[in-house]
């Protein structure tokens, strides 16, 4: 969490107009909390992820990302989801403006 | 008593649903499969007050979207069977996510009960749930806190089920408010559905309207097929209007809305400490799922499971085998004697057909027991999910699922538990693919064949033959897997890898025991018929004379139906170099059990010597008294149990010895006299026979290799066939066995003909 705060201070106060850069989930380091912005084009995949608790607009914390193989995410409170790297590359996320990673 | 009312138990995987089910229903359970599916179905009978209930454990699912066979089963059961109540089990520590399924079940309009399970774990993590407030927000839905592993909260749960199945006292759940413009569109579709007498009887109109807007593929296809084209059209038009108005597609809006509702209900009703802290499971996962350390840990655990199914179970397998063939057979003989049936064909059928067949089933009990024990512990502890995580990359490269590894490893011990080990794979196609290739993994029963042939034809270099055969089996399995992925499963979209990693837990003995017992008993029930039938058929073939002067039940093998059939199929092996009725016949009995290849060959090739030896051994001793025999049985069981314990302990030195340069001695509490097997006579006979069939010693050697290749690959033994039929159905078994037979024949022929081309012989 502390890393996140530092990188975001510069954006604060500029209102929401300053767009946060989007990046694939696969690039997010362990320990960071990010907001899901888009989950690929595949309907089935979107629905499957939503069933497991991952939908657009949600904040998730990356628990493990070894930059090879699947990632582990903390989703909705305390659940841990492993997702394949290929999928994580297609999921776009944004580092949230808010310092409170758990606001809806 | 009236027919019991049906209560369904639904919930996500990993919320302790089965544990709660066991606690609720106790021992009165029935295990089977869902019709036409490979998914386990468990039912139990319970009595609450003056009423009886049949509790059905639905498969664990995250939603009712019909994307997997589990979801379709759960959904169809609720829609078609009209359970009197559905208990939705949710994780008290993960309400926000696990309530998602509960909402969908409530939308179906069935009387519901919410069980907040694993309440103790939630409490320990400082999570407080105000159930009264939550129940009030859910329109008076009964909510019960339970701890399935300790059986706590069961009385309250029973009370809630009783109330909810009582026509007047029950509370029906509140519908979710989807807001505008969704509600208007739902109302319009709902009216259209309600106007149709068939649809409105089968489905709750509001639920169907919502699912159609959610673009549920299964329902769209079903309604389209039943001629409801206008309704589907209307749904599509509504979806387009919603997308135009909101800029979002309807299904995303519906999903989001459900999660929003859940968040609203939970606000203030659940207090939890700040999340984001690293849990104990996270710390363990840093090692267990580490990109480097994860793999050796996984391999180590697989090795231990293999040891359990292969070595630890061996003394008990031997004991059962010896008991059936020794005392049990003698008792049966004595009984038949008393009834003066011993000398008749019926007596021979009982002894050589039925008892031998039953024995063939019983020897699998220890093997399956230890497999299921290991699997249950790994599943309950939460490691099984991690194993898929760790092996995903490696196995994906060869077109398999991460969890396919376990069945393949277990297959080296025995293919039967390997078939059942595929149950850890969730996806039906993944399971079938894995089971399909598992039979090419060389099991322990095939090893004696290689050993005898290796010693006979290669002497000290027998190891090369054995090692080569194991490698060939692995190669054929992997190539078959890749080929199937490219052909049969070509159109299947690659399964996205998403997997929940449940927190690590200590498995409860009660739960583990119940799984082990249920699954082992299920194997016995299902395999007995086919194995018994095959044993009896083979006995008849051996007893039935077709030529010569033999009589029924008194005929030389060569002159029996068995001999005739062997002679008929023998020419098929001409290209592979072993076209004699003896080899063909041994392959037939090899279907009963692969190691029977050797016993049949020794029976045929060295029959006279063998007969004399057996007869001498039998007659030199007076028949032991029943009491002595019973005592001996107990003594040998005790010995087998000691050996089992010893083998369990030996896993440690065996594992340490895997490290290069380390050698620990193995524990040896009981001196088992190594049976000095008199195989030299058989070996000489084999060399002579193969040389005779092919015309030269070198060619005979080549044919022997081809024969071993065939034994490795051809139709799995009948116990495996029984297991596969039980799991995947008869048609599938036919495909698999035909393929295996073809591959075996091709490979053996290639070996023999290729060898000849290379100038061997």
């Amino acid at each position: 969490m502390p890393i996140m705060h530092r990188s975001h201070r510069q954006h604060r106060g500029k209102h929401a107009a300053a767009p946060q850069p989007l990046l694939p989930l696969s690039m997010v380091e362990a320990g960071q909390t990010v907001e899901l912005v888009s989950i690929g084009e595949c309907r089935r995949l979107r629905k499957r992820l939503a069933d497991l608790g991952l939908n657009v607009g949600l904040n998730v914390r990356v628990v493990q990302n070894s930059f090879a193989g699947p990632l582990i995410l903390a989703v909705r409170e305390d659940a841990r989801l492993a997702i394949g790297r290929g999928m994580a590359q297609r999921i776009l996320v944004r580092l949230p403006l808010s310092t409170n990673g758990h606001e809806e | 008593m009236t027919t019991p009312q049906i209560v369904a138990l639904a919930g996500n995987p990993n919320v302790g649903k089965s544990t709660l089910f066991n606690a609720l229903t106790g021992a009165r359970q029935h295990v089977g499969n869902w019709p036409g599916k490979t998914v386990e179905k468990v039912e139990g009978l319970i009595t609450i007050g003056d009423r009886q209930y049949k509790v059905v454990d639905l498969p664990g699912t995250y939603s009712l979207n019909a994307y997997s066979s589990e979801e379709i089963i759960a959904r169809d059961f609720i829609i078609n069977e009209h359970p009197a109540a559905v208990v939705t089990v949710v994780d008290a520590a993960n309400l926000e996510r696990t309530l998602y399924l509960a909402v969908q079940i409530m939308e179906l309009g069935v009387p519901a009960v919410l069980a907040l399970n694993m309440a103790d774990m939630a409490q320990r993590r400082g999570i407080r749930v105000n159930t009264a407030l939550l129940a009030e927000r859910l329109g008076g839905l009964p909510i019960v806190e339970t701890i399935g592993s300790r059986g706590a909260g069961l009385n309250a749960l029973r009370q809630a089920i009783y109330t909810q199945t009582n026509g007047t006292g029950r509370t029906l759940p509140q519908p979710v408010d989807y807001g505008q413009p969704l509600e208007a569109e739902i109302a319009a579709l709902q009216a259209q559905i309600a106007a149709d007498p068939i649809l409105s009887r089968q489905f709750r109109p509001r639920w169907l309207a919502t699912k159609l807007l959610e673009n549920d593929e299964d329902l769209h296809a079903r309604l389209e097929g039943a001629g409801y084209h206008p309704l589907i059209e209307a749904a599509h038009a509504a979806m387009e209007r919603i997308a135009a108005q909101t800029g979002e597609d309807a299904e995303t809006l519906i999903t989001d809305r459900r999660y929003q509702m859940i968040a609203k209900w939970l606000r203030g009703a659940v207090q939890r400490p700040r999340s984001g802290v690293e849990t104990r499971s996270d710390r363990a996962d840093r090692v267990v799922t580490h990109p480097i350390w994860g793999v050796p840990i996984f391999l180590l655990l697989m090795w231990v499971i293999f040891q359990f199914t292969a070595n630890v179970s061996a003394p008990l397998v031997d004991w059962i085998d010896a008991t059936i063939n020794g005392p049990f057979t003698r008792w049966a003989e004595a009984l038949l004697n008393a009834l003066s049936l011993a000398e008749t064909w019926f007596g021979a059928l009982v002894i050589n057909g039925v008892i031998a067949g039953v024995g063939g089933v019983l020897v699998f009990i220890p093997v399956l027991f230890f497999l299921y024990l290991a699997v249950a512990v790994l599943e309950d502890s939460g490691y099984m999910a991690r194993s898929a995580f760790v092996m995903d990359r490696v196995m994906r490269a060869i077109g398999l699922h991460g969890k396919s590894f376990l069945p393949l490893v277990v297959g080296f011990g025995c293919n039967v538990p390997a078939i059942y080990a595929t149950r850890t794979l969730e996806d039906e196609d993944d399971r079938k693919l894995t089971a399909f290739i598992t039979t090419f993994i060389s099991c322990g029963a095939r090893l004696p064949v290689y050993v005898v042939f290796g010693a006979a034809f290669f002497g000290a270099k027998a190891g090369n033959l054995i090692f080569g055969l194991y490698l060939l089996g692995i190669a054929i399995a992997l190539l078959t897997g890749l080929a199937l992925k490219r052909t049969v499963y070509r159109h299947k979209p690659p399964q996205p890898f998403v997997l929940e990693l449940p927190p690590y837990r200590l498995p409860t003995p009660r739960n583990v025991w119940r799984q082990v017992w249920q699954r082992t008993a299920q194997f016995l029930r299902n395999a007995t018929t086919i194995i018994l039938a095959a044993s009896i058929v083979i006995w008849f073939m051996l007893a039935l004379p077709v030529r010569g002067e033999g009589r029924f039940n008194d005929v030389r093998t060569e002159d029996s139906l068995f001999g005739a059939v062997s002679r008929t199929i023998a020419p098929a092996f001409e290209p592979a170099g072993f076209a004699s009725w003896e080899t063909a016949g041994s392959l037939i009995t090899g279907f009963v059990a692969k190691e029977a290849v050797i016993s049949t060959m020794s029976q045929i090739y060295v029959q006279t010597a063998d007969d004399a030896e057996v007869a001498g051994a039998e007659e030199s001793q007076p028949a032991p008294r029943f009491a002595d025999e019973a005592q001996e049985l107990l003594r040998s069981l005790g010995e087998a149990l000691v050996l089992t314990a010893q083998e369990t302990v030996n896993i440690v030195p065996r594992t340490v010895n895997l490290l290069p340069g380390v050698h620990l001695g193995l524990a040896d509490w009981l001196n088992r006299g190594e049976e000095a097997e008199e195989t030299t006579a058989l070996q000489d006979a084999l060399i002579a026979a193969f040389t005779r069939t092919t015309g030269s010693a070198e060619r005979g050697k080549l044919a022997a290799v081809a024969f071993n290749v065939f034994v490795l690959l051809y139709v799995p033994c009948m116990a495996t066939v029984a297991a596969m039929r039980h799991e995947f159905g008869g048609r599938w078994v036919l495909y698999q066995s035909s393929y295996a037979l073809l591959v075996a024949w091709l490979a053996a022929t290639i070996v023999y003909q290729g060898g000849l081309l290379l100038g061997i012989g």
Side-chain angles (χ1 to χ4, degrees), chain B residues 392-400 482:
Chain B
D392 185 61
R393 241 183 326 156
V394 183
M395 297 304 278
R396 194 155 290 228
I398 50 174
L400 294 171
L482 281 177

Side-chain angles (χ1 to χ4, degrees), chain B residues 488-568:
Chain B
V488 179
Y489 298 112
R490 187 183 39 192
H491 300 295
K492 199 177 153 58
Q495 282 288 308
F497 180 80
V498 210
L499 182 75
E500 189 182 5
L501 301 178
Y504 289 104
R505 278 190 283 263
L506 210 60
T508 56
R510 198 162 48 150
N511 216 28
V512 167
W513 170 252
R514 204 175 291 263
Q515 283 183 56
V516 170
W517 165 243
Q518 277 174 354
R519 292 172 176 179
T520 311
Q522 207 190 354
F523 163 78
L524 283 179
R525 270 203 303 277
N526 290 289
T528 308
T529 351
I530 185 167
I531 293 184
L532 202 57
S535 305
I536 291 173
V537 166
I538 296 226
W539 179 84
F540 265 108
M541 285 171 71
L542 279 163
L544 216 59
V546 289
R547 64 169 201 201
E549 56 258 38
R551 287 173 299 110
F552 183 62
N553 191 30
D554 180 20
V555 55
R556 287 195 312 158
T557 312
E558 208 177 333
D559 299 332
S560 67
L561 176 62
F562 181 82
V565 171
S566 306
R567 260 191 312 281
T568 314

Side-chain angles (χ1 to χ4, degrees), chain B residues 197-213:
Chain B
I198 300 170
L199 275 188
S200 57
R201 191 147 19 98
Q202 197 181 354
F203 301 102
R204 187 185 188 213
R206 183 182 162 86
W207 178 80
L208 186 58
T210 315
K211 286 314 269 186
L212 289 179
L213 286 182

